Amino acid sequence: MIKTHIEKLLTSHPTPLYVFDIGTLLDRIAYLRRKLPADVSLCYAMKANTFILPHLGGPIDRFEVCSPGELRIFQSLELPSEKLVVSGVVKEPALMEELIASRIPVCAFTVESRQQFDLLRDLSCQYRHRIPILLRLTSGNQFGMNKEEILEIAESHKTWSFLDIRGIQYFSGTQKNSLKRLKREISRLDDFLTELSMKSGLPIRELEFGPGLPVSYFPTDDFDEDAYLEEFSGLLSGMTYKAQITLELGRSIAASCGTYCTRVVDIKTNKGQNYALLDGGIHQLVYYGQSMAMKQPFYDLFPKRDSGVSQNWNLCGSLCTVNDILVKQLPIQDLHIGDVILFKNTGAYCMTEGISLFLSRDLPQVVLCLPDGSIQTVRDVLPTYPLNRPSLG
């Protein structure tokens, strides 16, 4: 749908511009549902893209928030609170008290540390409100707890009355192409679920697992997603311990629905190198692993040209830094000032992960292409200079 509406959008909306195709988004979720085991639930990590949330209330089983700001966005959209997973390596005590005191029916609170456990335990006792929790197992970084800590907490469950240990949460990274690595992780999780249930005497009912499913951002990515998901689904179905599995996904759900549009505003040749200066830049376009300029991404040129002289162009953004290079040596036919570069697969993270306040450039407009063909603006161009301006009283 984006292609069929791109001319309309680019004649009526300024660049830089983020476009999210809701039809593509819903098709993507349906594809994942078909490829994954039927009893697996989907959790959407809101940090991937908050602008598409109003269209996910039905198709998605859970939403993960990791900050007070994300929680306020979730609440403002009036999404079902019973689908809310309150996560985050830092949990503000006042905010946790607000949620528990209000008795809002939350799907789960994650527990990242003993301190977080004590906080939730004390608040649940104070307000005599039973809350569901997921104990986060570390993968060897600052997130979660060791197996020994989780076992100790679970084994003491008879000493407290208002916490319901539903299961564990585990996340170990993103863009994981290695099925061998996933196989090892799933095997270890399977063993630990069995051990946790046996030693604690608790029925461990849930595993929330962030598998880090990969997304192809570049034509050189060698990835057969159908085969990958088939084998991955087999690994999940083959687990000995039978718990409800929820896959926490962000990038895999949202990436394909997004297009970032940025216009050529100047062209030049310096010391034999062709440069096209764009009104966007690296502060607004971020691929996984800060890979800008290192590889050539999927893109379209508008207006499209099938003839003309092809030249290699270095596409540079509007920031005053030599680092603002989006692509090097990209072959383009007959490039002109006013042409628009359409970067694909930019539906996840790109609008929030960049250095968006650098040089006080405006934040781009965000529009949705809806399945009925209509266009919906969900954020106007937003000046950032007030955020960088000193307050002199």
Side-chain angles (χ1 to χ4, degrees), residues 218 273-276 278 282 291-297 299 311-317 322-332 343:
F218 309 104
Q273 293 284 317
N274 295 321
Y275 294 94
L278 310 176
I282 60 171
S291 298
M292 299 313 304
M294 303 303 293
K295 299 180 181 179
Q296 295 183 359
Y299 80 100
Q311 293 180 294
N312 289 334
W313 290 90
N314 299 308
L315 304 184
C316 303
V322 294
N323 296 318
D324 193 6
I325 303 176
L326 291 98
V327 188
K328 290 182 179 179
Q329 300 298 303
L330 184 66
I332 303 177
F343 290 92

Side-chain angles (χ1 to χ4, degrees), residues 5-23:
H5 290 83
I6 200 70
E7 184 172 356
K8 176 182 175 182
L9 281 170
L10 293 178
T11 56
S12 59
H13 292 71
T15 56
L17 175 69
Y18 294 116
V19 183
F20 302 123
D21 187 345
I22 301 304

